[in-house]
Amino acid sequence: MTHDDSPFLEARGLVKSFGSERVLRGVDFRIRPGERLVLLGPSGCGKTTLLNLIAGMLEADAGELLCEGSRIDAPAHGIHQPMRRRGFAMVFQDFALWPHMTVAENVAFGLKMQGLSRSERSERVRQVLTMVQMEGFADRSPSRLSGGQQQRVSIARALAVRPRLLLLDEPLSALDARLREDLKGELATLLRQSGVTSVYVTHDQSEAFTLASRIALMHEGRIEQIGTPEEVYANPASTFAATFLGVSNLLPYSRENGHFLLGDRESLTPVVLNGVGDTAPADGRLMVRREAVTIHEGRDAPSDSIVLSGICRRKDFLGDRHEAFVEVEGGVTLRGFAAPGIVEGTRVQVRFPPDAVRFLTH
Amino acid sequence: MTGRAGTRIPLTICVGLLGIAVAYPLGILFLQSVFPEILGGSFEGFMDAYRRIGETPEMVRLIRNSLAWAGATTGVAWIFGIPCGYLLARTDLPGKLWARLSLLVPIMTPPYIAALSYILLMQSGGFGDTLTGGLPEGLRAWFFSFWGVTLVMALSSFGYVALAVEATLSEIPRRFEDAARLLGASWHQTLRRILLPLLLPAILNSGLLVFLEALSNFGVPAVLGSRSNLPLLPAEIFYLVTSWPVDLALATSLSSLLCLFALVSLYGSRWLADAFGGGAYRPGAMSVQRLGPLWTLAGWGFIGGLFVLSSGLPYAAMILTSLAGSWGEGWPELTMAHYATLFEPGSRGFEAILTSLWLSVAAASVCVVAGSYIAYVNIRSTGWLQSALEGLATLPRVIPKIVIAVALILAWNAPWVPIDLYNTAFMLLLAYVVVYITDTLNYSNATLWGMSEHLESAAEILGAGRFTVFTRIVLPRLRPALLAAWLTTFMVCMRELVASLMLMPPGMDTTATYIFSQFEQGDISLAMAMATVTIVISTVVLALFTLRRSHGARAGARALGEVEG
Ligand SMILES: Nc1ncnc2c1ncn2[C@@H]1O[C@H](COP(=O)(O)OP(=O)(O)OP(=O)(O)O)[C@@H](O)[C@H]1O
Ligand SMILES: [Mg+2]
């Protein structure tokens, strides 16, 4: 009997090295059916390697990978299910459309492998090409398509076989910025509507936020944090998570008899955090997102805000508003959004609500 | 692309040269085939020769034979070459360098020498009998038949297929295969539906090379064909021109047909490649298949077996014969006497070596000088004259050598030619240049296409004239290509058989004609000694140049490092 929350795919302690370089250092995660997991992390952290392991192009050195409860990769048991038996499909960064086949032939290939009849095939091809808005291009050769169109075909080819799991390795990174933005939205809709379970690799956080039902944040061969985009954004588990996603203020602090002392030099700024932080560790880093911080000229602050005073050192125009950098006592600089009328070099107020504060120990 | 100003005169000169060297003889040949009496100044007998071909059953059979034999040779070369290419490109076969070398040996060996060696091996009382104590007669009968001759030709040309397949397979990105495997394709489905179609252009191109080579090869059919009762076109044309009664009308019309077949197969294979294969893609990382010990053994068994057949056995027969003192039962006594005869100053053999050497050096040098300039002028001009030049330059690439030889005889023997070039060694030099200028053009083009015109403009802006630009900017960049072209041309001229046989003035010999005539006259040991000498000379020249080139490459790399550092 299966429950709704029984995992579709589960990784336990996956390890992979290339020569002496340990690329995956024990990866664990579970993906529930229908979930869209985005593997997000900086370049070289092992995302592609993990994806290729899931696809079956690589074999793990240790750990195991289970799909619907049965092992598909488990070196300790000598199990490695070949990729063609896994029923997964993949969208490659460089499209990998076969140049000697037309668009329709490319899309029909997997269906042919599944043994579908000719009429079923052409029906399905038509259907998925319509889904990716490429119905008019069925008889074109891929080399006569733009990059964005090629990637649509590549997505159609993967979706056509109704895969158990769809793998996407930075599918948008070979496209230019504008196209990437358009296709990102379409892809999000497509994935949601088709309900296919997917693993999507990217190093672009906006793609991750748009596409993910859950984000797995990868760092140096491990999954650092996993959760819904909102969770990961609101409650980063580490300094890495806080800096990789969004723009944050990270202030070293220590606690002395109920006071928080910010900064790591001799002169520290004592702050009273109204009630929050009673359970915070004795020292570490205090994190406030930039958008929670506002910079004001005025002297009278609302009583529920934490208020620091300092000198505005820089003000940048961001397009829709201004960002200001304020140096408060103790040599700590905070960044936040500036209220109108802030002038560089003048004394200003920094405000943020207490519930925007997070405490990080590593 | 814009043409460079003031290329008119050089362009005209180039077109004129190629016109006289190539277009004029081929034009005469074609006219003669259509109007058999044209050299006598009459237009009578229009199409007579073609009619005769159509009405003579032997002629029709001859043509069918030739096409079937060339096709069979191509097929066998594919069967040998494609697996070799796969093993080299896509598996972890150990010792690939040796495998590659083993492919080069048969390519470097003149096919007629391989054929002669095989006769020595397979004929009754030959080495095969000595080694095994009597070859089965069935095997001997099989060898001296259609398929035996096919095997010899395929063995000498499957290396082209293997190298072309290897080069293409190493460029097909593994993503293409991964994508197919992931969608459920098995290994052999991936091979059939993804790899083979992408490989098709390489297979067809190399196959075309083998097909054209077989269709127009004279040596192998001449020595093996007559012994195997397998008359083939080039040999037939040769005998029609050289032995009494001479029938020029028939020879030229058969030649024209031969050209037609060559052109049809050229365009046919292009069409096939476009229709069923290919498509452009960027080269990418490829996958390498791990061979188990069993498959490694099988792979080496295949490549090694082919090496033994294509090189080992013929070379052994060649060298042993060249050293054999007397003929009789069992192993002959070994002696250097035949080599001594060859190198005796003033002897026929020695003269032949000297003639071949100077002719080859001269032909290679003329080819390199003229070819590089023609290629340069061609690539930097536009307009109808350029199209004409381009067209003329591709002619020697497809026209069989024997046809060019026949055409040159007609053209320079014609009553209106004032100079007596025919019956001098310069006739042969001209033939070598016309036949082999293709190599220089190919090598130069490969470099020139990748060379930005800005390099030349930069020099011109600084005041350099056109000639200075060519000698100071273009030539230095072309140097490695021209070196390779010179070397190739030298080696193929050293072994050129059919043009030499047809155009050599009486009383003169080249190494190839010497080998051929000594073999026909029964002095087999001398023939094989000369064959060995020819191959040794080619190999030594190749080795010297390769050493120099790797030296040059290092110096070049150093210079580049200085510029960047
Ligand atoms: N086949 C290989 N052989 C050796 N090292 C490899 C191989 N593939 C990946 N690596 C190494 O493993 C590390 C992780 O590679 P991987 O491709 O998984 O990173 P990634 O997170 O996908 O990065 P990117 O965002 O740049 O694509 C890199 O340091 C890379 O050099
Ligand atoms: Mg990657």
Side-chain angles (χ1 to χ4, degrees):
Chain A
M1 218 181 107
T2 51
H3 297 279
D4 249 356
D5 62 343
S6 71
F8 169 77
L9 191 76
E10 182 174 3
R12 295 181 188 152
L14 286 179
V15 171
K16 179 75 190 172
S17 307
F18 291 113
S20 61
E21 191 188 350
R22 302 220 326 144
V23 176
L24 297 182
R25 305 161 181 241
V27 170
D28 301 270
F29 63 80
R30 300 163 135 232
I31 305 176
R32 287 187 291 272
E35 205 164 36
R36 300 179 306 279
L37 183 76
V38 170
L39 288 175
L40 178 65
S43 188
C45 69
K47 305 181 297 287
T48 299
T49 307
L50 179 55
L51 202 71
N52 288 349
L53 264 181
I54 299 174
M57 278 175 232
L58 294 174
E59 294 179 40
D61 297 338
E64 47 184 27
L65 193 64
L66 296 91
C67 185
E68 293 183 321
S70 60
R71 295 193 181 94
I72 58 173
D73 201 10
H77 298 81
I79 295 175
H80 176 76
Q81 191 183 37
M83 59 171 152
R84 69 193 203 90
R85 303 233 177 275
R86 295 189 181 189
F88 300 171
M90 188 152 172
V91 176
F92 297 92
Q93 181 175 1
D94 56 2
F95 323 135
L97 294 176
W98 301 298
H100 59 293
M101 298 183 193
T102 63
V103 165
E105 286 167 342
N106 262 283
V107 177
F109 184 89
L111 304 173
K112 210 182 259 178
M113 294 300 115
Q114 291 179 344
L116 262 64
S117 73
R118 180 181 290 269
S119 59
E120 280 174 299
R121 285 205 303 262
S122 63
E123 173 55 28
R124 188 87 72 83
V125 168
R126 210 185 43 75
Q127 202 180 322
V128 288
L129 282 182
T130 311
M131 259 163 83
V132 298
Q133 301 169 25
M134 289 293 292
E135 60 272 38
F137 297 86
D139 295 322
R140 283 258 192 117
S141 146
S143 55
R144 289 180 49 232
L145 297 178
S146 72
Q149 290 170 329
Q150 290 189 42
Q151 196 54 295
R152 283 167 205 263
V153 176
S154 165
I155 292 164
R157 178 175 71 182
L159 284 177
V161 296
R162 309 218 167 120
R164 300 160 77 198
L165 178 65
L166 179 64
L167 304 167
L168 306 99
D169 189 3
E170 309 208 23
L172 306 182
S173 66
L175 310 176
D176 62 49
R178 182 64 205 281
L179 203 57
R180 191 154 53 207
E181 200 56 34
D182 293 349
L183 208 51
K184 181 175 76 180
E186 279 177 42
L187 199 50
T189 319
L190 209 58
L191 291 183
R192 226 164 283 179
Q193 278 173 353
S194 63
V196 63
T197 316
S198 60
V199 179
Y200 185 108
V201 160
T202 181
H203 57 245
D204 180 312
Q205 51 164 314
S206 82
E207 275 174 39
F209 289 147
T210 311
L211 287 150
S213 62
R214 279 201 306 158
I215 288 179
L217 207 55
M218 271 191 87
H219 184 44
E220 293 180 345
R222 284 207 183 79
I223 290 185
E224 188 112 353
Q225 189 177 1
I226 190 162
T228 64
E230 293 82 0
E231 276 165 18
V232 177
Y233 189 83
N235 294 310
S238 63
T239 318
F240 168 77
T243 47
F244 193 74
L245 288 182
V247 183
S248 305
N249 292 291
L250 278 171
L251 312 168
Y253 76 87
S254 54
R255 250 171 82 182
E256 267 166 36
N257 20 339
H259 277 70
F260 280 83
L261 300 175
L262 299 185
D264 47 11
R265 295 209 222 131
E266 305 85 60
S267 54
L268 299 170
T269 314
V271 196
V272 183
L273 299 178
N274 311 344
V276 293
D278 292 347
T279 55
D283 56 9
R285 282 158 188 263
L286 180 154
M287 186 208 94
V288 194
R289 290 277 181 211
R290 177 180 63 178
E291 63 270 20
V293 178
T294 50
I295 318 281
H296 300 268
E297 280 181 302
R299 316 217 163 266
D300 46 326
S303 57
D304 54 351
S305 279
I306 298 165
V307 179
L308 299 170
S309 145
I311 309 287
C312 174
R313 289 295 175 207
R314 208 173 98 197
K315 194 176 83 171
D316 297 336
F317 183 50
L318 297 183
D320 50 351
R321 50 188 144 182
H322 287 87
E323 176 184 26
F325 292 77
V326 178
E327 187 180 332
V328 299
E329 273 114 72
V332 177
T333 301
L334 280 107
R335 61 205 293 193
F337 292 132
I342 298 289
V343 180
E344 280 181 30
T346 59
R347 180 156 286 277
V348 291
Q349 253 187 8
V350 178
R351 300 181 196 157
F352 49 89
D355 57 4
V357 175
R358 299 286 179 274
F359 300 96
L360 305 172
T361 50
H362 63 277
Chain B
M1 210 165 84
T2 56
R4 212 149 261 286
T7 49
R8 212 83 207 150
I9 297 167
L11 190 58
T12 315
I13 293 175
C14 290
V15 171
L17 278 177
L18 279 185
I20 292 175
V22 183
Y24 158 63
L26 288 173
I28 294 284
L29 177 120
F30 183 67
L31 275 180
Q32 157 93 62
S33 77
V34 180
F35 303 106
E37 304 297 327
I38 187 111
L39 288 178
S42 145
F43 286 102
E44 263 163 53
F46 176 67
M47 290 304 262
D48 258 2
Y50 290 101
R51 214 167 296 132
R52 255 161 66 211
I53 294 175
E55 285 162 2
T56 321
E58 288 107 79
M59 285 290 146
V60 176
R61 202 163 46 240
L62 174 79
I63 290 171
R64 249 206 331 259
N65 257 352
S66 278
L67 291 174
W69 182 68
T73 301
T74 311
V76 176
W78 275 336
I79 294 173
F80 290 163
I82 295 172
C84 285
Y86 185 86
L87 283 168
L88 285 177
R90 288 302 183 96
T91 67
D92 62 348
L93 190 77
K96 280 187 191 166
L97 188 68
W98 291 107
R100 247 172 240 133
L101 273 178
S102 85
L103 291 176
L104 288 178
V105 177
I107 291 182
M108 300 273 303
T109 313
Y112 63 88
I113 292 186
L116 291 177
S117 306
Y118 256 103
I119 292 176
L120 296 177
L121 199 67
M122 299 300 293
Q123 71 190 356
S124 114
F127 277 105
D129 285 344
T130 314
L131 275 173
T132 59
L135 285 176
E137 282 309 313
L139 180 66
R140 204 192 317 277
W142 176 84
F143 179 79
F144 287 106
S145 75
F146 183 90
W147 286 106
V149 190
T150 303
L151 178 73
V152 171
M153 194 65 208
L155 281 173
S156 82
S157 50
F158 78 96
Y160 295 119
V161 177
L163 295 177
V165 166
E166 187 205 349
T168 306
L169 271 181
S170 344
E171 290 201 328
I172 299 175
R174 65 167 291 176
R175 283 283 181 238
F176 289 159
E177 290 145 72
D178 285 343
R181 300 301 290 278
L182 211 58
L183 291 175
S186 66
W187 183 79
H188 94 265
Q189 280 169 320
T190 312
L191 195 69
R192 195 159 63 86
R193 295 183 183 277
I194 309 295
L195 275 186
L196 269 187
L198 289 174
L199 207 51
L200 199 66
I203 292 177
L204 284 173
N205 281 336
S206 56
L208 176 73
L209 202 73
V210 174
F211 184 85
L212 289 181
E213 182 67 30
L215 190 66
S216 58
N217 185 283
F218 164 76
V220 173
V223 298
L224 266 177
S226 50
R227 283 170 177 78
S228 314
N229 195 20
L230 181 71
L232 294 169
L233 261 179
E236 188 66 27
I237 295 173
F238 177 80
Y239 295 123
L240 281 173
V241 174
T242 54
S243 40
W244 201 83
V246 172
D247 191 338
L248 282 182
L250 206 55
T252 51
S253 45
L254 286 177
S255 296
S256 303
L257 286 177
L258 198 56
C259 290
L260 180 73
F261 299 144
L263 285 173
V264 167
S265 49
L266 173 74
Y267 288 105
S269 82
R270 277 195 193 157
W271 179 82
L272 278 176
D274 281 349
F276 295 107
Y281 54 87
R282 253 188 317 217
M286 48 151 199
S287 62
V288 168
Q289 193 189 349
R290 239 170 281 151
L291 294 177
L294 218 63
W295 278 106
T296 305
L297 205 67
W300 261 111
F302 189 70
I303 292 179
L306 282 174
F307 180 71
V308 168
L309 284 180
S310 70
S311 312
L313 289 176
Y315 270 59
M318 175 182 84
I319 293 171
L320 273 175
T321 310
S322 76
L323 293 170
S326 60
W327 284 90
E329 287 295 301
W331 286 102
E333 214 177 290
L334 298 188
T335 166
M336 291 297 285
H338 308 299
Y339 290 96
T341 314
L342 277 189
F343 283 103
E344 195 179 300
S347 73
R348 233 185 108 201
F350 193 63
E351 292 296 322
I353 294 176
L354 290 184
T355 308
S356 268
L357 274 176
W358 83 255
L359 267 176
S360 304
V361 168
S365 307
V366 174
C367 278
V368 162
V369 172
S372 62
Y373 191 65
I374 290 174
Y376 174 66
V377 169
N378 177 41
I379 216 153
R380 290 286 180 257
S381 17
T382 48
W384 66 271
L385 256 184
Q386 185 269 337
S387 309
L389 183 62
E390 175 110 39
L392 282 176
T394 46
L395 275 180
R397 209 168 298 174
V398 273
I399 305 294
K401 287 182 285 188
I402 181 154
V403 176
I404 293 183
V406 173
L408 286 173
I409 292 179
L410 289 173
W412 295 93
N413 225 359
W416 56 79
V417 177
I419 42 171
D420 201 8
L421 198 61
Y422 189 64
N423 269 342
T424 70
F426 291 102
M427 186 72 210
L428 200 49
L429 181 59
L430 177 67
Y432 284 1
V433 170
V434 172
V435 168
Y436 290 119
I437 200 164
T438 301
D439 288 312
T440 305
L441 292 174
N442 285 348
Y443 278 109
S444 306
N445 279 338
T447 307
L448 285 170
W449 275 325
M451 198 166 131
S452 161
E453 222 176 319
H454 292 166
L455 290 178
E456 295 150 49
S457 309
E460 270 174 60
I461 285 174
L462 297 177
R466 248 200 345 263
F467 186 72
T468 318
V469 169
F470 181 69
T471 52
R472 302 292 292 275
I473 310 291
V474 179
L475 269 190
R477 306 262 308 173
L478 277 179
R479 226 179 60 170
L482 292 184
L483 208 64
W486 194 94
L487 199 61
T488 314
T489 312
F490 174 82
M491 289 197 301
V492 289
C493 288
M494 276 300 283
R495 68 195 225 187
E496 173 51 41
L497 178 64
V498 66
S500 314
L501 277 177
M502 297 184 78
L503 296 166
M504 207 71 227
M508 253 176 127
D509 272 311
T510 66
T511 49
T513 60
Y514 183 86
I515 295 169
F516 195 74
S517 62
Q518 293 299 325
F519 198 91
E520 293 297 300
Q521 288 160 24
D523 206 338
I524 293 162
S525 289
L526 263 184
M528 290 296 109
M530 183 62 103
T532 313
V533 168
T534 311
I535 288 173
V536 168
I537 291 177
S538 297
T539 312
V540 167
V541 172
L542 179 70
L544 281 180
F545 271 87
T546 313
L547 282 182
R548 263 206 51 189
R549 199 164 60 167
S550 60
H551 185 75
R554 268 201 306 280
R558 233 184 359 257
L560 210 67
E562 274 160 23
V563 170
E564 282 168 357

